[in-house]
Amino acid sequence: MKLVNELFFSLIFFIIVSACSQNQEMQTQSVPIKIGFLGPLTGSQAVYGQWGREGVEFANASNIKIIYEDSQCDPKVGLSAFTKLTELDNVDGIISSDCSSPTIAYGTVAQQKSIPVIVVAANSPIISNIGDFVFRIRYSSEQDGKALADFANKQGWKNLAILYQDNDAGRGYAAETKKNYQGTIVAEENYVLASASDVRVQLAKIQTRNPDVLVVLSQGDDGAVILKQIKEAGIKSPLLTSGTAFPQSTIAAAGASAEGLYTTVGMYESDQWQKGSEFKEKFNEQTGKNGAYFVALGYDAANLFSQIATTCGKDKTCIRTQLANTKLYEGASGEITFDEKGELITGSLRMRQWRNGSWNVVS
Amino acid sequence: MSSILAQLLLNGLIAGAIYALVAAGFSLICSVMKFMHFAHGGVVAAGAYFLFMFSQWFSPVPAILLALVTTVLFGVFMDWSVYKQLRKRHASNAVLLIASIGLMILTTNLILIGFGADVKTIPLAQHNPVYTILGARITLIQVVIIATSALLFGLLYYLMKCTRLGKALRAVADNNAIAQTVGINPSRMYLATFILGSALGGIAGMLIGLEQNLYPSMGLSLVIKGFTGAVIGGVTSVHGSILGALVLGMVENLGIWYLPSGYKDAIAFVLLFVFLLLKPEGILGKRFERG
């Protein structure tokens, strides 16, 4: 009888243990991993945060839970939002659809805490060197600046002037352009975001140096006003800029002042990426909005985390390794493969020109 | 060189006129109500966005009138819903100041929700010819800004100096208690102040919107410049504020011709600190009485 009892209780014990472990396994599978989203959701750079957010929301990645925080494009605010996400919400990864300065601030801490970060919007070259937990899925200012300088060199423009926003991103663009340009830099002017609505004096200074080409490196809302003021000042030099610094909404807001502008262009914007074209169509159909490059990048970042979560769960080191091993991932924004620094490996960028209300690829 | 100097002076005048439009409404409210209405920047931004909204549906004149009326109502609503309630509770100026900053942030975010984060252009501003005066280039909208500013400041001067309303407003601004003894109703004067101040803010917003495009946080940067101009000229004097704003525009634009461009805002704030330390009442203002 004693033996029967022992067998009976052993059976019950195994059933309970087995049920518990099964339940735990089921819980691991059903509890979504948490991903923090950081970007400027308010302020003059909010467009970058909003685009990234739209893409993330469109991804419909049900196995990840996204917690959104507003960095206001400010390193201090971004860092405190990051601390909230990591300390209170215990997120397992970060999608940064943010400006360069806050991304550098919290990216460095994320590296120390071994939290994987996918950078969607920031383009400063400093981000490349933060560490192996930070991955960027857009092309960097290094690639952008080189493309601008190469184009100016090929056109035979001997004197170049630069006007850039004085922040990490703007300085990064300007440095890369200068590094690769073979002619003479005749003027280098900058402005801070707070005074971006009036750059007339900077333009007057540039005009006195009579450059063959003017490179304008702004981000966000200020681009349209700057283009208008360039035309009003009567500057006739060809204008060059980054395609991501001057998104389509800026071109539309600038109206006739954008005529003749050259920008860099990747495969997504030039409709040479089929998955990108399909994404744009689907996004437009469901939201009535145009899928800007940063929307597609937000979508890809969420999908990458979602895909990796099925393998890694909440294991951050595993997530990092899986991200580092990403090869030829066919995202909406393009093909994603990272180099040893976590930078997107991309083909060379092309140049396009805005003429009569449409883009023409010129190189 | 003379054409460059002319261009710099003209740029300074345009910037100054823009700052002055913001500073005038800010200073009017500050002198009568005795608190810093930083949410005036929100009223300015609202003016620009209302014009953007109405210009989608109406031709220019009704769109401008509707935008002006709506902006005035918005400013008056701010006073009625927040400041008036706080005044009833005998809130200090510090509380009103904090409330105004809160209202400024709220307005920016309401615009963000209503209109989105991307930059907007008012369709009326698409055709903007450029003229050359003494070698300096100026656009039609900039001419309109300078002309409208001059006209408004003239009207404001007449209103404040030559009408019963203006005299009553100045009486309340000078001494509220004595003004009441001669039969002036302060509540009505506060309402009139917000109507006038918000109308000035609305016109400023519409003109700036035509000149510079629209983005949700535009009001904050404008009210900072308006406030700086007002302090330089004398925050308790409407005319002093206008003068201060013009000085600010000129000094900023002439200053960065010689200094690196990044110092533009530094010039404005150095000027602000110099006045706060050495002449806090500003060029034409009167000292706030301690009490």
Side-chain angles (χ1 to χ4, degrees), chain A residues 22 30 93 113 153 159 219 229 233 243 283 351:
Chain A
Q22 200 174 19
S30 62
K113 291 184 168 184
N153 292 334
N159 300 312
Q219 294 99 46
Q229 290 180 7
F283 186 77
M351 294 298 295

Side-chain angles (χ1 to χ4, degrees), chain A residues 124-144:
Chain A
S124 166
I126 297 169
I127 292 165
S128 313
N129 298 317
I130 291 178
D132 59 352
F133 272 80
V134 180
F135 299 86
R136 176 153 50 189
I137 59 170
R138 61 158 292 181
Y139 45 87
S140 67
S141 56
E142 202 171 348
Q143 293 154 328
D144 238 347

Side-chain angles (χ1 to χ4, degrees), chain A residues 39-67:
Chain A
L41 300 173
T42 55
S44 66
Q45 306 291 300
V47 70
Y48 292 106
Q50 298 287 3
W51 275 332
R53 182 178 183 151
E54 283 173 10
V56 169
E57 285 171 348
F58 195 69
N60 194 23
S62 57
N63 61 336
I64 59 171
K65 184 186 175 195
I66 309 281
I67 302 163

